[in-house]
Amino acid sequence: DGGGTDASSAGAPAGGTAPAAAVGKKIRLAVLPLQNVSGDKRVEFLGYALADATISKLSYLKELTVRPSSFIQRYRENPPEDPQQVGRDLNVDHLLTGSLLTQGDTLRVNVQYVDLTEGAVAWEETIDSKVDNLLNVQDEVVSRIVDRMRLKVSPDEQADLARDRAHNQKAFDLYLRAVSQPDTTEGRDAALGLLEKSMALEDDFAPAWVELGHRKYDRALYSSDSRPADYDEALQAMLQAEKLNPESPQMNRFLIILLTERGRTEEAYRKATRWLARHPEDAGAHYALSYIFRYVGLLDDAAREAELALSMDPGNPFFRSGGILFAYLGDIDRAEAFFSLDNDSGFSLSNRLATYAINGMRDEAKALVDEELQRNPDHPRLSAGMIAWARGDMKKAREGVEIATHYPPK
C-alpha cells in the first residue's frame, strides 16, 4: 500500500479514465516457505528466499494470481498445519509447499502442489542440485510448475522469465541471503549489506535492484535510524530496475507508488495507464492507479479503481490503504472493509483511528484506544498523539503532530 496516509491536492493528471479490465477466472496461488527438514544451517536462508524467487518469476504469468512474499512472512517460523485455513486466510485456491533436504553437498528440493478445491495434493516434484550452485533451482521449480499445470506461456512471457536470470553464482547466493533477512531494523541493515556485496559482483540483475528499493523504502519509513537519502535512493533503485527489465510487474507497481509519493503524479499516471493498456487483468496495477487518484484528490476515480482491484482479487491485503480513501469520502463501512483486509496489523489499527478522527467519531476512537491499551499496555501500536486526541487531551495531541511532521522523510 506504499505506507502513505495523506492525500495531496496538487498535480492532478488530466482526465480520470483507465482502460477497461478484462476480468477472467485465474488460478490464485500462494507459494509457502520451504521447510528445512534436515536442519542444515547452510540452507536455512533458502526456505523463504527460494519461495520469494519463485513468486517473482510466477508473477509474469497471466493465468496466475500469485500472492506476494509479504503475504507469506507469517509462515516463516510457524509452518501451517491446516492448508484449508491458509487458503481462507490468503484467499487462494492452490498452494505450493515444499521442503529442503541436504545430504553432503547435494540439495534436494521437494515441492507439492495442493489443490484446495479438491483437498488433495495434485502433484509432487523433486529437484536435485548442489548446495553451492543455486542458479538453476528457481528456474527448474518454475519450469515444473508450468509443465504440470499445463499453463499457456506466451512468447512475451517466456522472454520476461528469461530476462530475470542471474549469471554470477556468488552474487545470486548473496542476493538470496539478502531476501531471507527479516523485516526488522537489523534485518534491513543486514540485507542492504548483502545486496551491496552482491551487486558489486553483478549489477545488471533487476530483482536485486527491486529488493534494494524495497529495503531502502522500508528503512526510510519504519526504522529509527533512517536517513533522508533512503527515500530518494529507493526511487533511484526502482528506476534502475526499470531500465534493466521494464516488464517486471513488482517493479512497475512499486515504482508507480514511489513516484506518486514523491509528487511525480503525472509521470506515475502515464506509467500506470501504459501498463494497464498491456495488462488490464493486473489488479495490483488498478490499485496503483487508485493510489495516484487519491493523492491528487480525484477521490471518486480512486474509489472506482480501488473497488475494481478488490473485485478482481478479493482479500488482497496490499489494498488495505484503500480504507484511507473511503475515510476521506466519509464511507465508514467501505473504509472498514479495506482495513479488514489486513485486520490485525498496526497499519489498519492506526488508520481506523485516523478514520474516526477525520469523521469526528471520538467515542469510537476512545473505545479503540482502550481496547488496544488493554491488549498491549506496554507497547501500544498507536502514536502518543493519536491516543491523546482520542482521550480529549489536545495539548499532547498537538505535541504528537509536531513530532510526526519532523520525522523523515517529510
Side-chain angles (χ1 to χ4, degrees):
D1 53 55
T5 57
D6 291 322
S8 168
S9 59
T17 303
V23 182
K25 180 66 174 176
K26 299 175 72 172
I27 296 171
R28 300 192 308 276
L29 173 68
V31 182
L32 301 187
L34 283 71
Q35 301 306 307
N36 181 13
V37 296
S38 58
D40 190 333
K41 295 297 184 182
R42 292 178 301 168
V43 297
E44 187 65 39
F45 71 98
L46 258 187
Y48 178 80
L50 186 56
D52 176 87
T54 303
I55 289 167
S56 296
K57 287 277 191 178
L58 292 176
S59 66
Y60 286 103
L61 305 182
K62 294 181 180 179
E63 291 190 49
L64 298 177
T65 294
V66 187
R67 290 290 175 248
S69 302
S70 57
F71 284 36
I72 65 170
Q73 287 272 7
R74 69 186 85 171
Y75 306 114
R76 293 182 68 165
E77 304 298 332
N78 302 295
E81 297 180 359
D82 182 2
Q84 294 292 342
Q85 185 60 49
V86 176
R88 289 189 290 271
D89 291 344
L90 301 183
N91 192 34
V92 296
D93 43 37
H94 294 81
L95 295 176
L96 193 74
T97 65
S99 62
L100 304 170
L101 179 66
T102 57
Q103 186 172 6
D105 292 330
T106 299
L107 170 68
R108 173 158 290 183
V109 181
N110 180 264
V111 293
Q112 294 181 329
Y113 184 74
V114 182
D115 186 339
L116 296 175
T117 60
E118 298 293 334
V121 175
W123 51 262
E124 186 172 355
E125 288 279 353
T126 299
I127 301 163
D128 288 334
S129 180
K130 292 294 183 182
V131 171
D132 59 354
N133 186 11
L134 303 171
L135 271 176
N136 297 321
V137 174
Q138 164 199 13
D139 289 330
E140 187 62 29
V141 171
V142 172
S143 177
R144 302 282 181 97
I145 293 171
V146 169
D147 290 343
R148 295 300 294 265
M149 293 176 65
R150 299 179 180 177
L151 298 176
K152 297 176 182 177
V153 182
S154 70
D156 286 344
E157 289 172 332
Q158 290 175 347
D160 292 337
L161 290 170
R163 191 179 287 115
D164 274 352
R165 182 171 293 157
H167 300 285
N168 184 296
Q169 170 56 43
K170 181 61 176 176
F172 188 60
D173 182 271
L174 289 164
Y175 162 74
L176 291 175
R177 291 177 185 275
V179 167
S180 74
Q181 296 301 313
D183 191 22
T184 61
T185 297
E186 296 77 12
R188 284 189 283 270
D189 289 342
L192 288 169
L194 290 162
L195 287 168
E196 182 180 355
K197 294 177 181 177
S198 172
M199 296 163 82
L201 298 171
E202 182 175 29
D203 64 357
D204 59 354
F205 181 50
W209 287 98
V210 173
E211 182 68 16
L212 179 66
H214 277 289
R215 295 291 187 169
K216 289 281 188 177
Y217 180 86
D218 287 346
R219 189 167 75 173
L221 288 187
Y222 305 122
S223 291
S224 58
D225 62 345
S226 65
R227 304 175 303 124
D230 284 333
Y231 208 89
D232 289 327
E233 289 172 6
L235 177 57
Q236 293 306 312
M238 285 298 167
L239 290 170
Q240 180 62 25
E242 182 185 38
K243 290 180 182 178
L244 294 169
N245 184 4
E247 294 303 314
S248 166
Q250 294 178 328
M251 176 279 299
N252 271 282
R253 296 170 196 145
F254 193 49
L255 178 56
I256 291 167
I257 296 293
L258 276 170
L259 289 170
T260 300
E261 292 184 357
R262 300 308 284 169
R264 294 164 62 173
T265 49
E266 293 190 9
E267 185 179 352
Y269 179 73
R270 288 193 296 271
K271 289 183 183 295
T273 51
R274 279 199 300 265
W275 181 260
L276 281 168
R278 300 195 306 275
H279 305 278
E281 76 294 334
D282 188 338
H286 280 282
Y287 187 75
L289 183 59
S290 169
Y291 204 82
I292 300 168
F293 286 150
R294 170 161 69 88
Y295 264 68
V296 301
L298 298 175
L299 301 189
D300 290 336
D301 293 305
R304 182 193 69 241
E305 290 296 327
E307 295 285 18
L308 176 57
L310 191 60
S311 71
M312 297 170 71
D313 189 8
N316 188 334
F318 178 74
F319 303 155
R320 63 186 185 176
S321 69
I324 300 168
L325 158 68
F326 288 99
Y328 285 120
L329 288 170
D331 191 336
I332 307 302
D333 289 341
R334 292 311 295 158
E336 176 56 32
F338 278 82
F339 291 143
S340 66
L341 296 171
D342 192 18
N343 197 46
D344 293 328
S345 69
F347 175 92
S348 291
L349 177 70
S350 61
N351 280 289
R352 281 190 179 98
L353 186 54
T355 298
Y356 296 150
I358 290 169
N359 290 279
M361 302 165 64
R362 194 181 297 275
D363 290 342
E364 290 82 354
K366 186 176 184 303
L368 184 66
V369 166
D370 290 344
E371 180 182 356
E372 174 63 13
L373 291 176
Q374 187 173 4
R375 291 175 59 188
N376 299 292
D378 297 326
H379 301 284
R381 297 170 297 167
L382 295 169
S383 70
M386 296 178 78
I387 293 173
W389 174 82
R391 291 181 162 179
D393 188 340
M394 298 307 296
K395 181 180 178 182
K396 283 189 176 180
R398 290 190 186 95
E399 290 173 355
V401 170
E402 287 297 316
I403 293 171
T405 55
H406 288 89
Y407 185 81
K410 289 186 179 179

